[in-house]
Amino acid sequence: MLRQTAYRLLACCMLFMVSACGDSDSGSSSAVVANQVVLEKSVSDSYQEVRHIVLRGTNQEIGRAIAQLSNDYYQVPPMSFDSLQYKNSRNSYIQQHFPALAERQKGVAAYYGWGDSDLHDSSALWYDMQPVNCSAIFFPKTVTANGHSFQARNMDFYTVDMYEFLNPGHPGKGNKLFSRNFVMETYPQDGGYASLVVGTLDLLNGAYDGFNEYGLTISGLVDQNLGSDPKNLVPLADLERVDGLSYLQMVRVILEGARTVAEARQLVSNLKVYFPMDGIHFLIGDRNGNALILEFSEKDLSPRFVDPPYPGPTIMTNHSVFKTPTINTFPTIDYTQSYNTYYRYIRLYDYLQASVFHKYTPDDGLYAMSLVYGFVDDASEGTAKPLPLRTVWSLVMDVDDLSMKIKFYTVDNNTFKTPIFTDTYTFRLQK
């Protein structure tokens, strides 16, 4: 995943960037329907904070609201372009391929008071930038008890702060990574489908799991094949010099512009996507029960559309499905390494094989994810020594019901070597 060099660049960027002040009026924007902390972060009881945000209005109003929330609650230091040439080139591409984001950028710029000649980047409002591991399964409606298609997923990450990530064994005093997360509903009134997402990193774009009003669902997971070659990743120092859309912005494009897997495939075919931090691949499903794995070529970052390798539920972990699509193509596995991507895939595959005649429920999806919870000390992502890795959230998305059932990591159960989660929250997109 993201290697130590990139983290050191980020640390330097965060040290020297100066945050804009924003409006003096910190009252809620008219687009903010709800803004509530549903899980409070504490030293002893919960690792993470989760904020539930509901936004309704024009895209420009939504953008302004996101800028205000980002400044008020996440202390976002806006990044800057080196020149107007880079800024205009990026914004021109966004205007052509993601006009809803272009409108939201106007709201971001208005909140901060940025003019046309200002070099700040209004297309992303990054905070706590880090990569992710994970496991996921898409269950088509043909194998479910209620006739609904649904998608289950674990989000896994290291539970340390930036300083310790760079200096293992030496905890810092900063905010721990992947500990300020959000569930966001957006209802744009002038372009783009309504969507419900869970994410982090960037309120403007940072959706790692979500679905839209038409029942299209998507989850982004690390692709170790793509991320293993540094040339495929945009160094943080060059982030403001590339054209196209980041993979997080691509997720938003898909959710806000596609109703089916086929439409998502067509939409992505026309995009130039870049990867800050790490390589990612995506599991996409729709209400009709269709699934697609979206990967990107390690040669030129062109999209690869991989059909599910098995009938029925579609599994994805962190290896390239294009290169190793079925278990008979996997390398030899060390079964003592329970967090290995191939081990997790086989664990889920065995569960599905043992229950092949079963009609699955969303709770079965959550149970399947419990078989591969992250609870290890791991150094596979570029750290100098093992660090604690945990499943940060576990969820299932019912794309017919337009609901998300999700539980969040709180603390460790060291006796049984497993993470302890909250009770299940349910969020629902309003039609």
Side-chain angles (χ1 to χ4, degrees), residues 50-51 74 127 180-184 197-200 202-203 206:
V50 179
R51 185 175 293 274
Y74 299 100
Y127 69 93
R180 298 193 293 173
N181 306 315
F182 58 84
V183 176
M184 180 183 289
V197 304
V198 57
T200 192
D202 176 2
L203 282 180

Side-chain angles (χ1 to χ4, degrees), residues 89-111:
S89 180
R90 169 83 62 78
N91 289 348
S92 176
Y93 189 92
I94 291 173
Q95 179 65 60
Q96 180 181 356
H97 294 279
F98 195 180
L101 176 58
E103 286 298 304
R104 289 172 196 173
Q105 287 182 262
K106 294 177 183 178
V108 172
Y111 170 75

Side-chain angles (χ1 to χ4, degrees), residues 235-256:
L236 293 172
D238 297 333
L239 196 57
E240 302 304 318
R241 301 183 181 186
V242 294
D243 285 333
L245 300 176
S246 73
Y247 68 83
L248 289 171
Q249 291 167 337
M250 182 205 70
V251 169
R252 276 295 191 184
V253 167
I254 291 172
L255 287 176
E256 298 184 30

